[in-house]
Amino acid sequence: GQQVMQIPQYQHVQEGEDFTTYCNSSTTLSNIQWYKQRPGGHPVFLIQLVKSGEVKKQKRLTFQFGEAKKNSSLHITATQTTDVGTYFCAGLGSSNTGKLIFGQGTTLQVKP
Amino acid sequence: SQTIHQWPATLVQPVGSPLSLECTVEGTSNPNLYWYRQAAGRGLQLLFYSVGIGQISSEVPQNLSASRPQDRQFILSSKKLLLSDSGFYLCAWSKGLGPMGTEAFFGQGTRLTVV
């Protein structure tokens, strides 16, 4: 079945350093979504990418969708302590099933 | 505006007892509905999803079941809980399918501890 793999599982960075998390799907995706979950909270939507090769930016966050629509990345420039949390990618399959599969998430810790 | 309600927020249940978690969505019609489970420090495991009343897709064989008795109501149940059922259960909704599928909106979650 459809699987979404995400690496790394954990990342500790010094404040001001950059951070990247990678997401790979076993199947072609209709779209890829990114979420952030703060400790003790629920996942909150960040962005959605639909087109092959699409790149979107939100301030210090850059999101990319691969040409084959099977991989994606989230890059944070100059991390801040407010970036702490777990970042999940989620893939919506190419067939119209409504099935939304999440990656395992990358937990980011930022040392001030 | 759309809202999603999930309750209870926390639950402690003995092994072998039944379970019923309820989730309702307001302000939209015919949403896609999802139940996820998150073990401590782990990712989101898709348990069930539904694209319409009476349509339930199960992802992981287990002693849990789901039902959608109304368009905007999604229920997660178990007849007999196991210790391994402990976790953070999240209900979510979204709209559309395929490339038009929208983001998922999550409820606050239910933290279930089976003792």
Side-chain angles (χ1 to χ4, degrees), chain B:
Chain B
S1 64
Q2 301 92 358
T3 56
I4 179 169
H5 302 278
Q6 184 184 344
W7 66 93
T10 59
L11 192 59
V12 180
Q13 291 284 101
V15 169
S17 64
L19 173 73
S20 181
L21 301 180
E22 188 165 341
C23 173
T24 59
V25 180
E26 295 177 358
T28 188
S29 61
N30 196 30
N32 303 326
L33 295 172
Y34 305 88
W35 279 110
Y36 292 91
R37 178 171 61 200
Q38 186 173 34
R42 304 290 295 276
L44 294 166
Q45 179 187 31
L46 178 61
L47 301 176
F48 302 94
Y49 67 99
S50 171
V51 298
I53 296 177
Q55 300 179 55
I56 308 291
S57 296
S58 173
E59 283 300 293
V60 183
Q62 56 208 326
N63 68 322
L64 299 172
S65 62
S67 61
R68 186 171 178 171
Q70 300 179 39
D71 180 43
R72 291 169 290 173
Q73 184 184 28
F74 207 23
I75 297 172
L76 183 69
S77 304
S78 173
K79 293 182 179 177
K80 288 185 177 182
L81 284 169
L82 306 172
L83 286 174
S84 57
D85 291 324
S86 295
F88 190 42
Y89 288 81
L90 288 154
C91 179
W93 74 272
S94 70
K95 289 285 284 185
L97 299 173
M100 302 306 295
T102 68
E103 68 267 28
F105 298 91
F106 284 83
Q108 297 297 310
T110 296
R111 201 161 299 277
L112 171 67
T113 304
V114 183
V115 297

Side-chain angles (χ1 to χ4, degrees), chain A residues 27-42:
Chain A
T27 58
T28 302
L29 301 171
S30 293
N31 65 44
I32 192 93
Q33 301 169 6
W34 285 92
Y35 295 77
K36 179 181 179 180
Q37 184 180 25
R38 294 184 183 276
H42 60 277

Side-chain angles (χ1 to χ4, degrees), chain A residues 9-10 104 107, chain B residues 38-43:
Chain A
Q9 187 175 0
Y10 299 99
Q104 301 95 321
T107 299
Chain B
Q38 186 173 34
R42 304 290 295 276

